[in-house]
Amino acid sequence: MHMYKTILVPVEISEDELTDKAIMHAEYLAKLSNANIHLFHSIPDISRFSISYSYHYDLLNSFAKKSIARSEEELAKVAEKIDLPKERVSFSVAFGSPRDKVLSTAGEINADLIIIGSRRPNISTHLLGSNASAIVGYANISVLVVR
């Protein structure tokens, strides 16, 4: 049986139920194979909302910092609930499209499995509609979609 070393779980902060399911599976597999879990949240890139005058830069910058801080707090809460030694659970936040950032993060941390919670295919959410199928389509590692 293939043992996983690093499991990446993209977290949609507003979607507790989907996130919980994905994490249950991640925790189970991590315990079986002594793997690490990395939680990840992507914040849609705000730079496209900006007006390119320089006085907007500070405003945008503080918005970015607040978004990251808030997301990191949320991920820290989720990480705490995972029943694994602390050093085996990590998390990160990035700006950009979920698909691109999930895939680039997977590469950076050498993930060998991505676990995504999903509803039935007809209901789409920010992360789990077209993004889930895009992640499945483009990932060069295994992807587990949990329903």
Side-chain angles (χ1 to χ4, degrees):
M1 178 192 147
H2 174 66
M3 298 303 247
Y4 299 111
K5 290 191 190 73
T6 305
I7 300 170
L8 174 60
V9 184
V11 171
E12 187 47 74
I13 286 165
S14 59
E15 293 283 347
D16 292 349
E17 198 189 323
L18 301 182
T19 295
D20 289 350
K21 280 185 188 168
I23 285 170
M24 265 170 43
H25 280 72
E27 196 180 286
Y28 175 73
L29 288 172
K31 282 177 176 172
L32 282 181
S33 55
N34 217 10
N36 296 328
I37 293 178
H38 186 87
L39 306 173
F40 173 75
H41 176 68
S42 79
I43 301 169
D45 191 0
I46 48 163
S47 61
R48 62 203 165 96
F49 305 133
S50 76
I51 301 162
S52 55
Y53 300 119
S54 58
Y55 73 86
H56 271 272
Y57 182 75
D58 290 340
L59 191 69
L60 206 59
N61 213 13
S62 78
F63 176 78
K65 284 198 181 103
K66 280 195 189 93
S67 301
I68 287 173
R70 196 178 312 120
S71 299
E72 285 180 340
E73 266 168 43
E74 293 292 333
L75 288 183
K77 278 183 210 158
V78 175
E80 266 166 39
K81 288 189 235 164
I82 296 176
D83 181 27
L84 286 173
K86 292 284 160 266
E87 66 276 8
R88 283 173 51 194
V89 183
S90 56
F91 60 84
S92 62
V93 176
F95 283 102
S97 91
R99 181 197 78 189
D100 296 345
K101 290 297 166 187
V102 165
L103 296 174
S104 63
T105 301
E108 284 158 27
I109 66 171
N110 286 322
D112 40 22
L113 177 67
I114 300 171
I115 300 184
I116 315 175
S118 182
R119 289 202 182 91
R120 301 226 168 76
N122 58 340
I123 306 171
S124 71
T125 66
H126 167 56
L127 178 62
L128 301 168
S130 55
N131 283 306
S133 34
I135 289 165
V136 171
Y138 288 91
N140 55 6
I141 58 173
S142 299
V143 181
L144 171 59
V145 179
V146 178
R147 291 245 150 79

